[in-house]
Amino acid sequence: MNMNGGQALMKALEDEGVDILFGLPGGAILPVYDPLIDSSIRHVLVRHEQGAGHMAEGYAHATGRPGVAMVTSGPAATNIVTPLCDAYMDSIPMVVVTGQVPYAAIGTDAFQECDTTGITMSVTKHNYLVTEAADIPQVIHDAFHIATTGRPGPVLVDIPKDIVDPNNPRSAMEWYTPDSHDLPGYHPNRAGDSELIRQAAKLICEAERPVIYSGGGILKARAAEALLELAELTGIPVVTTLMNRGGFPDDHPLCLGMPGMHGNYTAVTAMQEADLLIALGARFDDRVTGKVAGFAPLAKIIHVDIDSAELGKVRRPDVAIQGDCRLVIEDLVKALGELGGNESQPDRNRWRSRISGWQERFPLTYEQSKDDELLKPQYVLEQLRDATPDDTIVASGVGQHQMWTSQYWKFNHPYTWVNSGGLGTMGFAIPAAIGAKAGRPDRMVWAVDGDGCFQMTAQELVTAATEGFPIKVALINNAYLGMVRQWQEMFYEERYSEVYLTRDVPDYKMWAEALGCVGLRVESPEEVGPAIAQANEINDQPVVVEFRCEAGENVFPMVPAGMSNSDVVVDPSQQDRPR
Amino acid sequence: MSVPPGTDGGGTTTLVVRVENKAGVLARVAGLFARRGFNIESLAVAPTEDERFSRLTIVVGVDAAPMEQVVKQLDKLVNVVEIRELNPAASVERELMMVTVRADPAIRGQILDLVRVFQATVLNVGYDEIMVSLTGSPSRVDDFEDLLRPYGIVDVQRTGKVALPKLVKTAPDPLAP
């Protein structure tokens, strides 16, 4: 079948199962936007290319399918670098198509030219500059394969205008359906080594104080059920990192919640005291380990990861297993079964009682607002959690509100938590929530955002309003760049430098309305419940609820940067309790 | 004392990397070294017997880099097909040097003596300069360069080393089953 490169691109995307494309047209990508009109793929017109990238990420987070974005060359390509880096850090499957100046003009500093593949080389799993129209079907097929297999990640495909422009003879091609991949250097491993899995099973049977350290790889590998089986078979408690909230149900008795810099005391301390850490799809990130030399000093390590470069990168494991988390956990369960299953596990009652002692002495806590005070953000999040369905998808920005959401929400289902972990991208929440809603229109989707974050990407609420994505935004307005304010309070002698954003400018209620949303404002605790109820009733429009919160509230517990996790600082009200 | 694979005890490791022969692959490899903070001592690139692939010979400073991470990160590049760490004791290494030396007619004979001893090649002769080349093991090339230096090196260009593993010396027992 004869066609032009632009038609081939749309057909290739359709053949990969793409149902929605987030993008914004411009000069170099213009020819592709014409065959788009005749395509089955829905296009969502964003207001800024960064929004397109984060929407694609949110879609991928919520569905497990690759998110796809398409933008033009030059400034559009540079605008999508942040989402690419975000997806790279958090291993999100994503394919980004960028327009490029005509092939013959590359390198001439043409209008809206930039070296897109050069700029994005270090923030993509792989990228392509396509030089011939005939390469388009194969490159798109390979791009989706690379984005979704092994350790997932973003792949960028840069397409010069001439090979998709029907008026240019270079765009003429014969369609073919690629049926294989010619990638001699790409062999994503799947199963783990069975001998190593037997060694891991033996270590588990010998451990008196084991902890399962579960990371984002659980969700990527769709291994939540396997993890539950492993935990219940062995009775081993589970911590869920920021990237794996929801990968193990918070309401399960074995769940210890989030570890790390703002993890709860029990999760942090159980890892410190453990004699075995079973790291599953986790990468010993500095926000989890604190000072590496002081991290889990008594623990042997079993480390399972699909990416061999993570094994031994930070902490030398005793058993290192490269493989897909789900397959390895399933094999581990079998190996444990051969060793006697539950019967093979030593008596861990003392360990369990130490853990429950920490849970009793050091629960998450905060003080309710006094009469003259504004709202406490933790209170708002508890109310929101209790007033929304159990399978609500929550997206967050980055900062204090993100940590409070992770701490106070009860994540009982996988793929309900959408956040920017590795890169820490402020402004992530709103576009990511839109992408999640696009992927899961049946679910209620709330974005929890801070006032600093909100101002970075609020324009995408126009996209939500006009494209029919009725997301809801809980805006925690504490008038500050709150996490930076907290660090200046704690580590810079309360010398506050450039962190005050003002309380009343912008007027968030009016702004929300101007963006096509319902705007609500809440200032007192008794208004919180009714406002959430009102927002939950609105399904034909996005809603922004501004919660006016206390500025001085800090996130606890906290492990100060560079300190050992054993030096975790608990809430001031708990500081005198015996550890 | 045992030497770890690929190291020569002199603080460097040689990696022989087979990559797809595609545009931008060298930039990917060089970019990876730069952004992970690994230092390249020398780098030689050429197509292989199979035109789909190129071979890079990369000498890496081992003090600056955890070699295991270097190799694992390199292996993640989609265009990298195969990586071998070469132990100098188990490999043959060669490097080419071209050098122009001051050579007034009165002392040209001394330089030609060195050229003979090292079995180097005279490439070009000027009225007071001489250009020679030498192919040899990197240490032999070092020696030659050191001996020429007192005469006044005008220009020198070394390729960086290339290497292949030594071949098996013992034939399999013909009587073995």
Side-chain angles (χ1 to χ4, degrees), chain A residues 127-157:
Chain A
N127 63 19
Y128 291 93
L129 172 61
V130 188
T131 57
E132 307 290 337
D135 292 342
I136 289 173
Q138 185 68 53
V139 166
I140 294 294
H141 191 48
D142 290 348
F144 278 81
H145 176 63
I146 292 169
T148 54
T149 53
R151 181 177 182 168
V155 177
L156 178 136
V157 181

Side-chain angles (χ1 to χ4, degrees), chain B residues 87-165:
Chain B
N87 180 344
S91 60
V92 179
E93 300 176 334
R94 282 297 175 270
E95 187 172 4
L96 168 70
M97 174 173 71
M98 290 169 66
V99 58
T100 299
V101 194
R102 302 281 309 166
D104 284 327
I107 58 161
R108 194 185 285 158
Q110 296 179 27
I111 292 169
L112 289 174
D113 277 347
L114 284 172
V115 166
R116 254 191 308 278
V117 169
F118 277 84
Q119 294 179 301
T121 309
V122 175
L123 300 176
N124 207 342
V125 182
Y127 76 95
D128 65 348
E129 292 175 350
I130 186 165
M131 186 197 298
V132 300
S133 75
L134 175 69
T135 302
S137 69
S139 66
R140 192 156 163 273
V141 174
D142 286 344
D143 291 348
F144 188 52
E145 189 180 343
D146 288 345
L147 288 162
L148 291 177
R149 189 168 293 112
Y151 297 98
I153 290 177
V154 179
D155 223 343
V156 64
Q157 180 73 54
R158 293 175 63 155
T159 58
K161 76 176 170 189
V162 293
L164 283 175

Side-chain angles (χ1 to χ4, degrees), chain A residues 88 117 121-122 124-128 146 151 182-187 307-313 316, chain B residues 20 22 24-25 27-29 31-32 35-36 52-53 68-69 72-73 75-82:
Chain A
Y88 187 60
T117 47
M121 201 174 271
S122 64
T124 52
K125 186 173 172 186
H126 194 53
N127 63 19
Y128 291 93
I146 292 169
R151 181 177 182 168
D182 181 22
L183 298 166
Y186 184 67
H187 310 284
D307 180 358
S308 76
E310 293 300 343
L311 305 174
K313 184 180 85 176
R316 178 67 42 192
Chain B
E20 287 185 87
K22 288 187 171 170
V25 174
R28 287 179 202 279
V29 172
L32 175 80
R35 73 174 176 274
R36 296 272 174 191
R52 291 178 304 155
F53 303 110
E68 182 186 326
Q69 264 297 301
K72 284 176 165 180
Q73 294 292 349
D75 198 37
K76 280 166 69 171
L77 293 179
V78 170
N79 299 126
V80 168
V81 179
E82 186 189 15

Side-chain angles (χ1 to χ4, degrees), chain A residues 98-109:
Chain A
T98 47
Q100 182 55 278
V101 299
Y103 187 59
I106 288 177
T108 66
D109 304 317

Side-chain angles (χ1 to χ4, degrees), chain A residues 159-171:
Chain A
I159 301 195
K161 185 175 186 176
D162 51 328
I163 67 165
V164 288
D165 178 1
N167 297 318
N168 190 310
R170 287 212 347 112
S171 78

Side-chain angles (χ1 to χ4, degrees), chain A residues 347-399:
Chain A
D347 176 12
R348 298 186 183 118
N349 279 329
R350 261 198 80 217
W351 180 227
R352 266 188 281 279
S353 73
R354 282 180 75 190
I355 289 172
S356 56
W358 295 323
Q359 286 173 320
E360 280 159 27
R361 287 199 298 284
F362 298 101
L364 288 171
T365 185
Y366 65 96
E367 267 184 57
Q368 295 292 353
S369 324
K370 300 183 186 69
D371 283 348
D372 55 341
E373 284 185 329
L374 289 166
L375 298 167
K376 288 298 179 79
Q378 302 96 323
Y379 173 77
V380 172
L381 288 163
E382 285 181 327
Q383 294 295 306
L384 187 59
R385 172 195 71 201
D386 294 343
T388 46
D390 202 36
D391 63 357
T392 298
I393 294 173
V394 188
S396 95
V398 168

